[in-house]
């Protein structure tokens, strides 16, 4: 492949702004050395994520010029000399976590906190602030390192294209929602509360159903998103309405607590209902979780919390220091599980669930395909609360 080939990508231009611009065509290189364990992908689909929105809103320390995008599905165009088990022409899902496969964390399945792919902290991702400087995949072409370890090959290329709207979600939000449920202890007969009906929250709700939950309750303040949750059998709570969370849960389950709680909101949470103002309250969901989760229950936290939030309303929150009622969680013997989802722990099994029609994840999160040039409008619509998961089709193959 010629390095002079064209490439375009979605670029962060400062708070509230993204643009589609010409960017460098990827090389099989890491810094100044050849990346023989990597591949170059033609991007088939790449999704806009709520985590991207945190950056685009100016709520992180992301620098202008960052090429966005960590949810990538593509076809291999070129591979390095050391890549043995995937080949040119394979259609693959790319976990948003970049992992070396060699460090102590990777060897135990903790691929979200790989020790070798980010000089500043454990864990890396494509196109994300503080995640190692890797070029993002909201583009026409992208380089993926450690390809044999990272990539999930789809067994049938034609079937993969037919189910691309579902399979594209394996790079992040489906495993992330599933991970939130697993770490919250969801199993057959569980009652589950999912905070947030954005795409990850909806993916978590579907995951809870897949895991056998008896009742899945989704809370949000956006009516269209709540309607989307109801479309596949969830109960819903409109958080704009006053009244205690316990009363609202009791009206659904006849009990005032749930077995499992999944936080799919993160640090841009707002106070809601119960006489609260609707102003930002970054610990609101975490405090609610301790309030309504049964003693001995678990709280899964796939929602993003950051170490630096320049847009926060107080100095403590700007450093990621939140005012949590942690003593309540201690008194109730709660378990908390945080951090990036280790996508590879789940993506093969979830792929099989899609291929054998056990789950309709694209319908649940309401996938809408858009072109690369429509990406800025997709970001704007998503920021406005659209009950959709925007999936970019950079080459117009699925429109």
């Amino acid at each position: 492949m010629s390095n002079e080939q064209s490439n375009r990508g979605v670029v962060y231009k400062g708070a509230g702004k993204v643009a589609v611009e010409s960017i460098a065509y990827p090389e099989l290189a890491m810094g100044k050395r050849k990346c023989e364990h990597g591949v170059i992908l033609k991007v088939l689909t790449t999704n806009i994520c709520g985590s991207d929105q945190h950056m685009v809103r100016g709520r992180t320390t992301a620098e202008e010029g960052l090429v966005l995008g960590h949810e990538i599905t593509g076809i291999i165009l070129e591979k390095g000399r050391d890549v043995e088990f995937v080949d040119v022409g394979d259609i693959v899902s790319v976990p948003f976590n970049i992992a070396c496969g060699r460090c102590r964390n990777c060897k135990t399945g903790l691929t979200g906190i790989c020790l070798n792919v980010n000089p500043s902290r454990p864990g890396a991702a494509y196109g994300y602030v503080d995640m190692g400087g890797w070029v993002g995949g909201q583009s026409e072409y992208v380089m993926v390192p450690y390809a044999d370890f990272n990539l999930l090959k789809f067994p049938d290329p034609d079937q993969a294209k037919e189910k691309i709207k579902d399979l594209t979600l394996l790079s992040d939000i489906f495993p992330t929602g599933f991970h939130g449920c697993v770490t919250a202890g969801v199993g057959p007969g569980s009652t589950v509360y999912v905070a947030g009906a954005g795409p990850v929250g909806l993916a978590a709700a579907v995951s809870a159903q897949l895991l056998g939950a008896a009742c899945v309750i989704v809370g949000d303040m956006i009516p269209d998103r709540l309607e989307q949750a109801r479309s596949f059998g969830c109960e819903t709570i409109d958080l704009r309405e006053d009244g205690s969370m316990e009363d609202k849960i009791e009206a659904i389950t006849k009990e005032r607590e749930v077995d499992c709680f999944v936080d799919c909101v993160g640090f841009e949470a707002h106070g809601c209902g119960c006489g609260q103002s609707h102003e930002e309250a970054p610990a609101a969901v975490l405090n609610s979780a301790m309030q309504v989760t049964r003693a001995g229950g678990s709280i899964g936290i796939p929602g993003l919390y950051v170490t630096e939030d320049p847009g926060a309303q107080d100095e403590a929150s700007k450093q990621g220091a939140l005012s949590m009622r942690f003593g309540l969680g201690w008194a109730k013997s709660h378990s908390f599980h945080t951090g990036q989802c280790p996508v590879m722990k789940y993506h093969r099994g979830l792929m099989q669930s899609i291929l054998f029609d056990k789950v309709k994840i694209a319908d649940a999160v309401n996938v809408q395909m858009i072109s690369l040039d429509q990406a800025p409008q997709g970001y704007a619509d998503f920021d406005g609360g659209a009950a959709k998961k925007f999936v970019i089709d950079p080459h117009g193959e699925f429109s």
Side-chain angles (χ1 to χ4, degrees):
M1 293 290 169
S2 168
N3 292 343
E4 297 180 0
Q5 280 190 250
S6 63
N7 191 18
R8 295 192 306 152
V10 180
V11 180
Y12 174 60
K13 304 296 288 184
K17 300 176 185 176
V18 298
V20 179
E21 297 182 348
S22 293
I23 62 174
Y25 187 84
E27 298 181 359
L28 288 176
M30 294 171 61
K32 296 182 179 180
R33 59 193 175 94
K34 182 81 168 171
C35 180
E36 296 290 5
H37 50 69
V39 299
I40 292 173
L41 296 183
K42 175 185 176 183
V43 178
L44 295 179
T45 53
T46 177
N47 319 328
I48 297 175
C49 181
S51 298
D52 297 321
Q53 285 287 16
H54 294 307
M55 289 188 293
V56 173
R57 292 188 190 116
R59 298 300 297 269
T60 72
T61 54
E63 296 183 358
E64 293 184 29
L66 178 69
V67 180
L68 299 168
H70 56 270
E71 302 189 11
I72 308 164
T73 305
I75 185 167
I76 298 174
L77 295 183
E78 181 182 356
K79 68 176 191 174
R81 178 194 62 211
D82 296 337
V83 177
E84 296 185 71
F85 306 118
V86 291
D87 211 343
V88 171
D90 288 343
I91 296 179
V92 294
S93 178
V94 184
F96 80 89
N97 328 105
I98 301 168
C100 73
R102 298 155 166 81
C103 70
R104 64 179 295 183
N105 284 349
C106 284
K107 288 179 179 180
T108 56
L110 300 175
T111 54
I113 43 175
C114 174
L115 300 174
N116 289 330
V117 287
N118 183 351
S120 62
R121 65 172 70 168
Y126 304 89
Y128 208 84
V129 59
D130 296 331
M131 286 284 109
W134 299 87
V135 176
Q138 285 174 16
S139 56
E140 294 173 321
Y141 305 94
V142 70
M143 196 279 282
V144 173
Y146 307 103
D148 279 329
F149 183 66
N150 283 290
L151 296 178
L152 174 66
K153 175 184 172 181
F154 299 135
D156 181 333
D158 292 333
Q159 183 188 38
K161 290 179 179 179
E162 179 184 328
K163 292 181 174 287
I164 196 70
K165 287 184 178 180
D166 297 278
L167 295 172
T168 190
L169 304 174
L170 292 172
S171 57
D172 182 355
I173 68 161
F174 194 10
T176 292
F178 195 86
H179 179 64
C181 290
V182 169
T183 56
V186 177
S190 299
T191 57
V192 185
Y193 183 87
V194 177
V200 170
L202 295 170
V206 170
S207 298
Q209 293 175 339
L210 194 59
L211 286 162
C215 179
V216 181
I217 306 168
V218 180
D220 204 287
M221 291 185 280
I222 300 175
D224 286 349
R225 289 184 168 181
L226 293 173
E227 179 60 33
Q228 185 62 29
R230 287 191 291 271
S231 75
F232 57 94
C234 298
E235 302 288 343
T236 58
I237 291 176
D238 188 335
L239 296 172
R240 299 171 301 170
E241 298 174 356
D242 286 342
S244 76
M245 285 292 292
E246 291 95 335
D247 286 346
K248 294 173 183 178
I249 290 169
E250 186 176 24
I252 297 169
T253 68
K254 308 299 187 288
E255 296 183 341
R256 296 178 67 78
E257 294 177 317
V258 293
D259 298 322
C260 313
F261 192 108
V262 188
D263 173 5
C264 298
V265 177
F267 75 102
E268 286 194 72
H270 289 68
C272 50
C274 311
Q276 298 183 56
S277 72
H278 287 196
E279 296 180 354
E280 272 202 15
V285 174
L286 298 174
N287 286 323
S288 181
M290 291 181 279
Q291 179 183 341
V292 303
T293 303
R294 67 171 178 85
S298 297
I299 299 165
I301 310 173
L304 176 68
Y305 289 86
V306 293
T307 54
E308 293 183 78
D309 174 11
Q313 295 181 351
D314 61 78
E315 290 304 313
S317 297
K318 287 181 180 180
Q319 303 301 317
L322 308 184
S323 181
M324 289 175 60
R325 194 181 172 195
F326 194 70
L328 177 60
W330 191 95
K332 295 175 78 172
S333 293
H334 284 156
S335 298
F336 300 81
H337 200 290
T338 65
Q340 289 186 42
C341 165
V343 170
M344 275 187 272
K345 183 175 181 178
Y346 307 106
H347 65 174
R348 183 173 296 279
L350 296 178
M351 175 188 73
Q352 294 290 76
S353 297
I354 290 168
L355 296 181
F356 286 95
D357 296 319
K358 298 301 181 185
V359 64
K360 301 290 185 185
I361 183 67
D363 289 345
V365 304
N366 197 19
V367 163
Q368 178 173 331
M369 303 284 276
I370 61 175
S371 70
L372 190 61
D373 288 318
Q374 291 173 313
Q377 187 60 50
Y379 269 94
D381 291 347
F382 190 27
D383 192 47
K388 298 175 181 177
K389 174 67 172 178
F390 291 101
V391 174
I392 300 168
D393 172 9
H395 298 276
E397 297 197 19
F398 304 103
S399 300

